[in-house]
Each structure stands twice: as structure tokens, then as C-alpha cells.
Amino acid sequence: MEELLKILEELKPDVDFKNETGLIDNAILDSFDIVQLITTLKETFDIDITPADIVPENFNSAESLWAMVEKLQ
């Protein structure tokens, strides 16, 4: 989880990822951020993120992102 938080903080340093639960719903992450994040997650955690995984529920918070990463590992 710490590695994920580092990735997110590099992407958007001004966001409180530990507490934010509306990264998609509140338009904190845009489509370019999502593409960049998916690429980084694939490389860092050696996972395959399919189009079926790219849903707001998986990207709205650091916790939901981490749950997706763990599920795909």
C-alpha cells in the first residue's frame, strides 16, 4: 500500500490519498491520470489490468485501488 501511495502522490502531490474517497466521482483524477496510473501499476506490481477492471469503483480511493492490485496479483 505504501508503494501505491507513493505512486499516487507523484501523480497528484496536492491530494490527500489516505482520506480521499472520490478520486473519480470528484474529478480529481482525469482520463490522462488514469492511463498513466494504469501503466505505472502494471509495471510496478506486474499485473494485467483489463478494460473490465477500469471502473470508477476500482479507482475512487487508494484503498479500492489497492484492493484491485491485490486481487490481480
Side-chain angles (χ1 to χ4, degrees):
M1 179 75 162
E2 289 304 314
E3 180 98 22
L4 173 62
L5 288 172
K6 275 196 232 175
I7 291 166
L8 291 168
E9 288 165 4
E10 286 176 13
L11 188 64
K12 294 272 187 179
D14 56 332
V15 177
D16 179 9
F17 287 103
K18 290 182 182 175
N19 296 307
E20 183 60 58
T21 59
L23 297 174
I24 301 299
D25 294 342
N26 297 331
I28 294 168
L29 297 179
D30 61 25
S31 57
F32 182 75
D33 295 328
I34 298 298
V35 170
Q36 192 174 358
L37 182 57
I38 289 169
T39 302
T40 304
L41 291 175
K42 284 181 169 186
E43 292 171 358
T44 303
F45 297 106
D46 194 29
I47 56 176
D48 186 29
I49 300 173
T50 67
D53 298 313
I54 306 170
V55 294
E57 298 81 38
N58 286 341
F59 287 84
N60 255 331
S61 69
E63 285 188 13
S64 61
L65 275 161
W66 185 244
M68 178 186 70
V69 167
E70 286 186 314
K71 180 184 81 168
L72 296 174
Q73 283 183 318

